[in-house]
Structure formats: structure tokens, C-alpha cells
Amino acid sequence: MTILKFSGEVAGFYQRYRRGYPADVVDTLAAEFGLTAEDTALDLGCGTGQLTLPLAARTRAAIGMDPEPDMLAEARKAAAGVANVAWLVGADSDVPALEAVLGKEKLGVVTIGQALHWMDHETLFPALRPLLRPGGGVAVITNGAPMWLHDSPWSNALREYLAGWLGKPLVRTCGAEQEEQDRYRASLAAAGFTTGEKVVEYEDEITLEYLVGAVYSAMPEDLLPNPDERAGFEERLGVAVAPHAPFVEPVRVRLLTGGKG
Ligand SMILES: C[S@@+](CC[C@H](N)C(=O)[O-])C[C@H]1O[C@@H](n2cnc3c(N)ncnc32)[C@H](O)[C@@H]1O
């Protein structure tokens, strides 16, 4: 299966420039599901392992599963020297097969970071239940809003620049995100999970290089500026946002939790 959006060069940008998760997020998961060094974690839609690796550091073992081989190749490189992670090529539709693979071994947590919108949550959540130990659960995690959708002068300038580049406006998706979260929550509850929500908030000051890299990491490969156009793209982007430095980004990590009980 090929998912163009995260293939090729984009995977490398994702690994280098996509923000990871602070320790507070893993602490929150550990407290919510009583995670210990005996537990196994599954990070579904793991991408380049931003969440898989901190989870592996807190558990006996972690499985990072993703259908995009290029993302997993970057994850493997980032995990050099880490012995308790397995990277599996697979999608949400492969989850039911894990029940037989895991056998009596039950998972303490299944995390889905910034990836549930690619999955069929209504079939996924019931399929996850038998994989979890009592007291364990699922966490659907949103790692802040896209950096061009904040209400700040540098973010407004970035949004305007990108809209000019793409030839279409970049719309605010906050309302839809809340609707999505409500749908996910109802679907978790329908699958028998006890739902809750936790939030981890902080501010991150980013450099212009990081800002450009994060923009590239969010573009499908066919929309990336051609290599010979990049210097110009980056220079014009810099001119647009530089007057509004420093680039301080508010990051609001939302964890929608579903406890197995
Ligand atoms: C935005 S990235 C998130 C990566 C990482 N979890 C994070 O929080 O940064 C979304 C990932 O979901 C993966 N994905 C897309 N469709 C999927 C599916 N049906 N099942 C599992 N993962 C999927 C993509 O390949 C991509 O690596």
C-alpha cells in the first residue's frame, strides 16, 4: 500500500522537523493506564516514531505500526540502539490480526497520534478492546494545531504566504476538529471504553529553519517546491514572517482517552 502523503522526502522532513511529545504526555498516559516497565505499548500510525520511542523508554516493549515504509525507515534510523521496539508495516485494518499474534500478551496502551483521521475508527475501536489488559486503554492524541492556523502575527503571515503558494486559502479547522473529537469520543464509548480528556499545554519558540522544515513535513510530496525552487520559496517565506519574530508557538496536546475498565 502506498500513502503518497508521507512517502519519499516528506518522511525525512517529518523525522527532522515534526515536533515530538514532551515527557508530560507520556507521564499522563502512564498515570491514566497505570503503565509500568512490564507493559507493552502499540503506537498505531506511528510515523517516524515521535511517540513510540518515549513510550518504549517507559515500558517493557513498544510496537510502532504504520503502512508507510518510508516513515518506518526513518523511525528505524531514529531508534538506532533502542532494543525494545519493533516496527511493523501495517494499517488499522491489520489490527484484528494482532490478537492472534499477541496471544496471551495484552497491551497496556494503544496510542494513535495525529493519525486517526486516516483510519476507520468505528471498526478499529472494537478491534482494539480484546488486545488490551484490564485497566489499559486507548489514547487518541492531537499534537497541537498546524503552525499556520494560530492567531498570531507570524502565523497569519505564514498562512497568507502558503495560501498564495498553494493558490487556495488555508481554512481554520478548529470547529471541525471539535466535531471530529466528539465523533471519536462517541465511537470509543460505543465500543465499551470509558472516555475522558487530558490536555498538556506549553509554548515552543521555533527557528525559521524549523518553521520551513515543518511546513515541508506537512506537504504531500507532489506539492513540495521543486528542489531548484526551494531557495526562492524559503527566502520569500522568510521575508513574510521575519518581521513577526520571535516565532513562539502555543502547543496544546489533547489526549482523548478510552479506558478498558
Ligand atoms: C501525521 S502522521 C503521525 C505520526 C506520529 N504518530 C505523530 O504523532 O507524529 C500520520 C501517520 O499515519 C499513517 N497512516 C495513514 N493511514 C493509516 C492507516 N490506515 N493505519 C495506520 N496508520 C496510517 C501515515 O503513514 C503517517 O505515518
Side-chain angles (χ1 to χ4, degrees):
M1 174 190 311
T2 306
I3 295 192
L4 271 181
K5 185 157 168 40
F6 296 101
S7 60
E9 253 195 310
V10 172
F13 285 123
Y14 203 100
Q15 167 53 23
R16 251 178 297 150
Y17 296 109
R18 200 51 88 89
R19 176 175 288 120
Y21 294 87
D24 277 0
V25 169
V26 181
D27 289 347
T28 303
L29 290 169
E32 187 70 19
F33 301 124
L35 294 182
T36 71
E38 301 300 309
D39 272 309
T40 308
L42 168 65
D43 186 23
L44 183 61
C46 66
T48 58
Q50 269 84 347
L51 187 53
T52 329
L53 290 173
L55 272 175
R58 291 286 288 270
T59 51
R60 187 181 63 77
I63 302 165
M65 189 159 154
D66 198 287
E68 178 48 66
D70 292 350
M71 294 294 262
L72 290 178
E74 291 291 336
R76 275 199 185 90
K77 271 192 260 167
V82 179
N84 66 336
V85 187
W87 304 106
L88 297 188
V89 181
D92 59 322
S93 51
D94 296 304
V95 162
L98 287 178
E99 194 177 354
V101 172
L102 290 168
K104 288 192 182 129
E105 174 69 28
K106 298 290 171 194
L107 303 169
V109 66
V110 178
T111 50
I112 304 165
Q114 301 269 117
L116 191 59
H117 50 295
W118 300 99
M119 305 180 194
D120 177 356
H121 57 90
E122 284 175 3
T123 52
L124 174 64
F125 292 147
L128 288 176
R129 245 185 106 76
L131 305 185
L132 290 157
R133 64 157 167 72
V138 182
V140 178
I141 306 177
T142 315
N143 199 7
M147 61 172 56
W148 52 86
L149 289 184
H150 298 297
D151 193 11
S152 65
W154 70 263
S155 181
N156 294 341
L158 175 62
R159 185 163 65 249
E160 208 170 292
Y161 175 76
L162 292 176
W165 166 260
L166 294 169
K168 61 175 185 186
L170 282 89
V171 286
R172 294 195 167 273
T173 55
C174 299
E177 271 170 21
Q178 187 53 52
E179 274 170 33
E180 257 179 8
Q181 292 285 316
D182 292 345
R183 264 207 312 278
Y184 296 158
R185 193 172 181 139
S187 171
L188 267 175
F193 291 98
T194 307
T195 63
E197 189 179 324
K198 296 277 186 303
V199 173
V200 173
E201 282 182 286
Y202 62 101
E203 284 191 338
D204 194 12
E205 185 172 334
I206 57 178
T207 62
L208 182 58
E209 187 211 335
Y210 180 91
L211 192 153
V212 170
V215 165
Y216 287 165
S217 82
M219 282 185 176
E221 210 182 9
D222 56 340
L223 286 186
L224 281 176
N226 293 326
D228 60 345
E229 292 175 323
R230 280 190 203 160
F233 176 90
E234 290 165 24
E235 195 184 327
R236 290 190 299 277
L237 193 159
V239 168
V241 297
H244 310 292
F247 314 122
V248 178
E249 193 177 4
V251 185
R252 187 165 192 267
V253 185
R254 290 176 74 175
L255 296 93
L256 168 61
T257 57
K260 180 166 177 173

